[in-house]
Amino acid sequence: MLLGRHIISPSDLTLGEISELCDAAEKMLADTAAFAGVCRGKILAALFFEPSTRTRLSFEAAMLRLGGSVLGFADSASSSAAKGESLADTVRTVSAYADIIAMRNPKEGAALLASRYSAVPVINAGDGGHHHPTQTLTDLLTIRSLKGGFSGHTVGLCGDLKFGRTVHSLAEALSRYPGNRFVLVSPKELAIPEYITQGVFAKTGTAFAECEKLEDVIGDLDILYMTRVQRERFFNEQDYVRLKDSYILDREKMKGAKPDMIVLHPLPRVNEIAPEVDSDARAAYFAQARYGMFTRMALIAKLTGVL
Ligand code: NCD
């Protein structure tokens, strides 16, 4: 039963609930018009204290396609946070106006805190470098649709594995399914945190290897998940400049990949995938962005209890 629940990290959902959400999203994709009125009269508050294109707009589009309405802000400077209001007070107030809240905040743990003060479901749309569960549901739906299931994949995670919250959430989620193994490709300074290697991989017995060169391992992968170096989470610009172009996936590197490997990226991309790769049949990142809206439609419908 998903009605009324908060979604802060992917582990808030059972594997059965993940499948249920993916099934609902697929139905919505196949016949979007059939769901056009199910959220009529309901309001989504989109509270974005950090920049976003896809996540915010796909949440808004999702609610509008379900027949509901949307309010919120896209910039903390235009909210009372700029006057010094606490997150607890903002959320307490907004939860009196809306039926469901999607919130992005630069601070790790912000969504969890918000959920303690909210009278309506809070969906974490990204809390600092921590988690991003709706991106993970999107990634899982994409993987199930294009690779036939959630299990038995060799998954390359490449780029900024330290600050990339989508990576942390996806690694945690895929570790719950049997037979997945991870190849972690990053510069040493951007390696995945120990709370994932020790707290997730070791605990679930999930195999993983770490390396620095994508070319050496690309041929082993079923899924390659590219990520952007997270400039906004760096402490100094020099380190960012030095590391930002560590990995650039291009046509040449794609020659070494399996014919049925898929390339995912949560987007936005900066330089890490050359535009020449976009026309490769294995490039699935724009399809992935499209799945995101249907995933969020399914989640909103289930949490508000209309489905
Ligand atoms: C990601 C995010 O915000 O964490 N974007 C997204 O939600 N699709 C990835 C990123 O910003 O690099």
Side-chain angles (χ1 to χ4, degrees):
M1 181 76 158
L2 284 157
L3 169 65
R5 294 244 300 270
H6 304 296
I7 305 297
I8 309 303
S9 102
S11 53
D12 292 334
L13 296 163
T14 65
L15 299 190
E17 286 164 348
I18 291 175
S19 293
E20 181 188 334
L21 284 164
C22 287
D23 293 345
E26 267 174 0
K27 285 196 190 112
M28 290 170 164
L29 192 155
D31 188 3
T32 312
F35 298 88
V38 298
C39 273
R40 189 162 298 130
K42 301 236 180 265
I43 296 178
L44 166 83
L47 310 184
F48 277 68
F49 295 89
E50 226 191 28
S52 170
T53 300
R54 264 150 301 274
T55 304
R56 183 172 62 83
L57 295 184
S58 70
F59 262 114
E60 295 191 6
M63 190 47 145
L64 295 172
R65 286 199 181 272
L66 294 170
S69 310
V70 177
L71 50 78
F73 49 83
D75 174 7
S76 59
S78 63
S79 80
S80 279
K83 298 180 185 168
E85 185 173 52
S86 71
L87 183 61
D89 285 2
T90 302
V91 166
R92 222 183 240 142
T93 306
V94 171
S95 77
Y97 306 152
D99 300 287
I100 185 163
I101 294 175
M103 188 185 84
R104 169 170 290 189
N105 193 287
K107 294 206 181 89
E108 284 84 11
L112 181 63
L113 185 136
S115 70
R116 302 222 163 111
Y117 292 92
S118 175
V120 300
V122 172
I123 305 174
N124 181 9
D127 60 327
H130 194 213
H131 275 301
H132 194 347
T134 61
Q135 181 65 47
T136 298
L137 286 170
T138 300
D139 301 341
L140 290 173
L141 176 62
T142 311
I143 290 169
R144 192 177 82 167
S145 302
L146 303 182
K147 300 297 287 179
F150 299 129
S151 309
H153 303 303
T154 298
V155 185
L157 303 174
C158 178
D160 185 346
L161 309 187
K162 179 177 181 188
F163 296 116
R165 57 194 170 198
T166 63
V167 162
H168 305 154
S169 286
L170 183 62
E172 185 175 310
L174 284 176
S175 297
R176 298 167 73 195
Y177 296 93
N180 290 323
R181 71 180 263 272
F182 289 94
V183 181
L184 309 168
V185 187
S186 76
K188 284 209 169 57
E189 290 132 292
L190 297 180
I192 206 158
E194 263 186 25
Y195 78 85
I196 301 290
T197 52
Q198 301 307 311
V200 176
F201 295 154
K203 262 201 195 134
T204 52
T206 302
F208 71 96
E210 295 185 272
C211 77
E212 287 190 57
K213 281 193 95 182
L214 180 57
E215 302 84 301
D216 293 349
V217 294
I218 195 167
D220 300 335
L221 307 177
D222 303 313
I223 298 162
L224 171 58
Y225 196 89
M226 295 295 296
T227 62
R228 166 181 79 87
V229 176
Q230 305 276 303
R231 179 182 206 158
E232 65 276 35
R233 307 202 198 288
F234 273 69
F235 294 110
N236 73 68
E237 184 71 8
Q238 281 131 307
D239 285 349
Y240 170 71
V241 170
R242 186 166 49 79
L243 293 168
K244 72 183 171 62
D245 292 328
S246 299
Y247 301 101
I248 299 179
L249 182 66
D250 56 13
R251 206 177 273 151
E252 197 47 43
K253 289 199 186 83
M254 285 297 286
K255 283 187 188 153
K258 290 182 188 173
D260 63 347
M261 183 190 81
I262 57 169
V263 183
L264 302 182
H265 190 307
L267 303 176
R269 80 170 135 186
V270 186
N271 287 327
E272 57 281 354
I273 302 179
E276 65 189 24
V277 177
D278 297 357
S279 55
D280 190 303
R282 295 168 289 185
Y285 30 92
F286 289 112
Q288 181 187 0
R290 185 171 135 74
Y291 282 121
M293 181 182 73
F294 297 103
T295 303
R296 291 176 177 109
M297 284 172 74
L299 192 60
I300 290 169
K302 293 281 184 185
L303 296 181
T304 55
V306 300
L307 210 67

